[in-house]
Amino acid sequence: MSLRTRLVLTLGLTLLLLWGLAAAWLMRDLHQQVEKTLDQRLAQSARMVAGLMAQLPLDVWEQADQRALSIPPIEGLACQVHSPRGEIMARTHTDMEDILQAREPGHAYREEGGVTWRVFTYERGGLTITTADRMDERDLLMRNVLQVAVVPFVVALAGSLLALWLGVVRGLRPLGRLRDALARRHPDALAPVATHGVPVEIRPLVETLNGLLARIQQTIVREQRFTNDAAHELRTPLTAIKTHLQVASRVEGEAARQSLDHAEEGVARLSRTLDQLLMLARVEGRLHFEDGEASRAADVVELALRDASASDRQRFALPEAWPEVELAVPRELAITALRNLMDNALRHGPGESPVEVAARLDADGQTLTYGVRDHGPGVDDAQLEQLPRRFWRASRRQGSGLGLAIVAAIAERFGGGLAFSRPEGGGLEARLTLPLTPRSTGPAGPAREGTPQGINDNDEGDPK
């Protein structure tokens, strides 16, 4: 059922019901008022006859003892007068003695010959006056009154229903225009729907639709970017692997072994690139990473260090304690972000130089900042802003160029941030800020004491 039909039926039935109840109420009151008016007319006729009879001369009374006076009849109305002795003194109809018989004063219904009469009996000065109305005459009068009242009512009701239909059709016209506009759109068109001239009631629907179109467009852009990135990054290692395998198939001995080693390195690099691309796609998508495990600051560091080799672990300089807080980030993503920063610092730090890792609570108490600093050559100011870009590499060292992009995507998804700076003494420092859960508390005293030089309360960490 269409919205238009539903509205018309609902409002029309409601209108009919309300008008019907009002009409029934009015008809009932009208019927009672007409009955009351006719009864008053009948009683007034009896009183009028009693007054006239009291003014008759004495000779008329003497004639009345001999024979009943004849009163000219009125259509639908009968009257009869009885003397104190019960004799009929005057009457309008000679064939209605039973109907006009004197009985208890007041109104009553009497029936004779299939005709019902409304009778009123009145006593005055010893006389009893009885008047009667035919009920079929009253019913005819009532039908005429109802007919006069119902016809305008029906016309007004029909006009109201027509006005209701036209109002609903006109009121829903913006929905029709919106439907036509959406039907005419190209399937690939994701531009927002215009809200100019849209009624206030429909505007939230259009704005919600525009939000959905924007999210769909972002999803398509992410998918296209992922496809382009995958095609761009996988082409080179696949070509290199193919070349090394072809060389290994044509040579023998040490040259063949070296070609196979190079091919194996290419496979490993290709595998790492694929893992990074898939992780980036998951972070930028709408997937959930919750595993039910608490993401505590110390556990994140411990699990991120677990993936490093034994020799690499020796290069990390850690504080004595970590803030006792819980991150509002899934543990898997927090570990991935911190591990990528550590790997980047190990890759670009010279030889056996230490990599300093620390964490501190920020002044607002709502976020935690991890700091990872190497003592390598660092980068210049122009390159600081390029570090989170996809596939951008600061050196010729092997890598996919996606590690820092993944860290930035994780921080952005959960309302955090990633910043780089060049601390005094050289090297590069990365600062990963992540939000905390509302229930997190935790003094950061021990962690602040172990904070390396690159992490301090006075350095804002913005690129210089």
Side-chain angles (χ1 to χ4, degrees), residues 57-357:
L58 183 61
D59 58 344
V60 175
W61 288 98
E62 294 175 352
Q63 294 178 9
D65 290 338
Q66 301 174 5
R67 60 183 180 87
L69 297 177
S70 178
I71 303 175
I74 301 176
E75 184 66 24
L77 180 64
C79 179
Q80 185 168 283
V81 181
H82 294 81
S83 67
R85 295 190 298 271
E87 298 174 349
I88 299 176
M89 299 179 62
R91 59 187 174 186
T92 58
H93 295 76
T94 59
D95 57 346
M96 295 179 59
E97 292 185 3
D98 292 339
I99 296 296
L100 299 176
Q101 184 179 0
R103 297 181 185 176
E104 293 294 328
H107 290 89
Y109 288 101
R110 298 178 186 176
E111 184 176 353
E112 183 180 67
V115 178
T116 303
W117 293 77
R118 180 68 166 169
V119 179
F120 178 75
T121 302
Y122 178 67
E123 295 181 356
R124 179 179 177 181
L127 299 178
T128 302
I129 298 92
T130 304
T131 56
D133 264 345
R134 287 175 62 100
M135 287 304 300
D136 53 356
E137 295 288 339
R138 286 194 175 192
D139 294 339
L140 178 60
L141 175 62
M142 190 64 196
R143 285 195 296 270
N144 293 333
V145 172
L146 292 179
Q147 184 177 1
V148 172
V150 166
V151 171
F153 176 83
V154 172
V155 173
L157 179 59
S160 300
L161 293 176
L162 178 60
L164 173 64
W165 169 261
L166 295 177
V168 170
V169 171
R170 184 177 181 83
L172 294 180
R173 192 169 295 169
L175 282 179
R177 290 197 296 265
L178 177 62
R179 178 198 60 198
D180 296 338
L182 293 177
R184 290 193 301 267
R185 287 171 68 94
H186 191 273
D188 296 333
L190 296 176
V193 179
T195 58
H196 177 70
V198 175
V200 177
E201 294 79 6
I202 306 178
R203 191 178 298 272
L205 173 63
V206 177
E207 292 175 351
T208 303
L209 177 61
N210 288 337
L212 176 62
L213 291 175
R215 291 194 296 272
I216 293 176
Q217 187 174 19
Q218 293 174 1
T219 302
I220 293 176
V221 170
R222 283 197 301 267
E223 292 178 354
Q224 292 175 346
R225 186 167 57 180
F226 174 79
T227 303
N228 295 335
D229 294 342
H232 176 269
E233 280 301 306
L234 299 182
R235 184 183 296 112
T236 300
L238 285 174
T239 302
I241 293 171
K242 181 179 179 180
T243 301
H244 290 309
L245 291 177
Q246 289 176 348
V247 171
S249 64
R250 296 178 182 178
V251 299
E252 297 180 355
E254 183 65 21
R257 188 185 62 79
Q258 290 180 357
S259 296
L260 290 176
D261 291 341
H262 290 318
E264 186 175 355
E265 292 176 1
V267 171
R269 178 186 176 187
L270 180 61
S271 178
R272 289 194 300 271
T273 302
L274 283 174
D275 290 341
Q276 298 281 52
L277 282 172
L278 291 175
M279 175 57 71
L280 187 60
R282 293 177 65 196
V283 171
E284 291 183 341
R286 296 293 176 183
L287 298 179
H288 296 284
F289 292 83
E290 298 293 346
D291 56 3
E293 296 290 339
S295 182
R296 290 185 288 268
D299 295 342
V300 170
V301 178
E302 179 182 353
L303 295 173
L305 288 172
R306 183 180 300 175
D307 295 335
S309 62
S311 59
D312 289 338
R313 291 197 196 100
Q314 301 300 322
R315 295 178 56 186
F316 290 105
L318 306 176
E320 296 180 358
W322 303 94
E324 294 294 332
V325 293
E326 185 176 327
L327 303 174
V329 179
R331 188 171 64 165
E332 176 186 353
L333 296 186
I335 295 170
T336 298
L338 187 59
R339 183 173 60 236
N340 286 357
L341 292 180
M342 292 178 175
D343 291 343
N344 187 74
L346 290 174
R347 187 179 300 113
H348 295 90
E352 301 297 326
S353 63
V355 174
E356 300 174 357
V357 181

